Coordinates of all heavy atoms in Angstrom, one line a residue:
A48 N 102.2 66.0 95.2 CA 102.5 65.5 93.8 C 101.9 66.4 92.8 O 102.4 66.6 91.7 CB 101.9 64.1 93.7
G49 N 100.7 67.0 93.1 CA 100.1 67.9 92.1 C 99.3 69.0 92.8 O 99.0 68.8 94.0
D50 N 99.0 70.0 92.1 CA 98.2 71.1 92.7 C 96.8 70.8 92.3 O 96.4 70.7 91.2 CB 98.7 72.4 92.1 CG 98.2 73.6 92.8 OD1 97.4 73.4 93.8 OD2 98.5 74.7 92.4
N51 N 95.9 70.7 93.3 CA 94.5 70.4 93.1 C 93.6 71.6 93.0 O 92.4 71.5 93.2 CB 94.1 69.4 94.2 CG 94.2 70.0 95.6 OD1 94.6 71.1 95.8 ND2 93.8 69.2 96.6
F52 N 94.2 72.8 92.8 CA 93.4 74.0 92.7 C 92.6 73.9 91.4 O 93.1 73.7 90.3 CB 94.3 75.2 92.7 CG 93.5 76.5 92.8 CD1 93.0 76.9 94.0 CD2 93.2 77.3 91.6 CE1 92.2 78.1 94.1 CE2 92.5 78.4 91.7 CZ 92.0 78.9 92.9
D53 N 91.3 74.1 91.5 CA 90.4 73.9 90.3 C 90.1 75.3 89.7 O 89.1 76.0 90.0 CB 89.0 73.3 90.8 CG 88.1 73.0 89.6 OD1 88.6 73.0 88.5 OD2 87.0 72.6 89.9
V54 N 91.0 75.6 88.7 CA 90.9 76.9 88.0 C 89.7 76.9 87.1 O 89.0 77.9 86.9 CB 92.2 77.2 87.2 CG1 92.0 78.5 86.4 CG2 93.3 77.4 88.2
D55 N 89.4 75.7 86.5 CA 88.2 75.6 85.6 C 86.9 76.0 86.2 O 86.1 76.6 85.6 CB 88.1 74.2 85.0 CG 89.3 73.9 84.1 OD1 89.8 74.8 83.5 OD2 89.6 72.7 84.0
R56 N 86.8 75.7 87.5 CA 85.6 76.1 88.2 C 85.4 77.6 88.2 O 84.3 78.2 88.0 CB 85.6 75.6 89.7 CG 84.5 76.0 90.5 CD 84.6 75.5 91.9 NE 85.6 76.1 92.6 CZ 85.5 76.5 93.9 NH1 84.4 76.3 94.5 NH2 86.4 77.2 94.5
Y57 N 86.5 78.4 88.3 CA 86.4 79.8 88.3 C 86.3 80.3 86.9 O 85.6 81.3 86.7 CB 87.7 80.4 89.0 CG 87.7 80.2 90.5 CD1 88.4 79.2 91.0 CD2 86.9 81.0 91.3 CE1 88.4 79.0 92.4 CE2 86.9 80.8 92.7 CZ 87.6 79.8 93.2 OH 87.6 79.6 94.6
L58 N 86.9 79.7 85.9 CA 86.8 80.1 84.5 C 85.3 80.0 84.1 O 84.8 80.8 83.4 CB 87.7 79.3 83.6 CG 89.2 79.7 83.7 CD1 90.0 78.6 82.9 CD2 89.4 81.1 83.1
D59 N 84.7 78.9 84.5 CA 83.3 78.7 84.2 C 82.4 79.8 84.7 O 81.4 80.2 84.1 CB 82.8 77.4 84.7 CG 83.4 76.2 83.9 OD1 84.0 76.4 82.8 OD2 83.4 75.1 84.4
A60 N 82.7 80.3 85.9 CA 81.9 81.3 86.6 C 82.3 82.7 86.2 O 81.6 83.7 86.4 CB 82.0 81.2 88.1
L61 N 83.5 82.9 85.6 CA 84.0 84.2 85.3 C 83.1 85.1 84.5 O 82.9 86.2 84.9 CB 85.3 84.0 84.5 CG 86.1 85.3 84.2 CD1 86.6 86.0 85.5 CD2 87.3 85.0 83.3

Side-chain angles (χ1 to χ4, degrees):
D50 194 358
N51 59 1
F52 188 80
D53 186 10
V54 175
D55 290 333
R56 176 177 74 134
Y57 290 100
L58 283 171
D59 292 341
L61 183 64

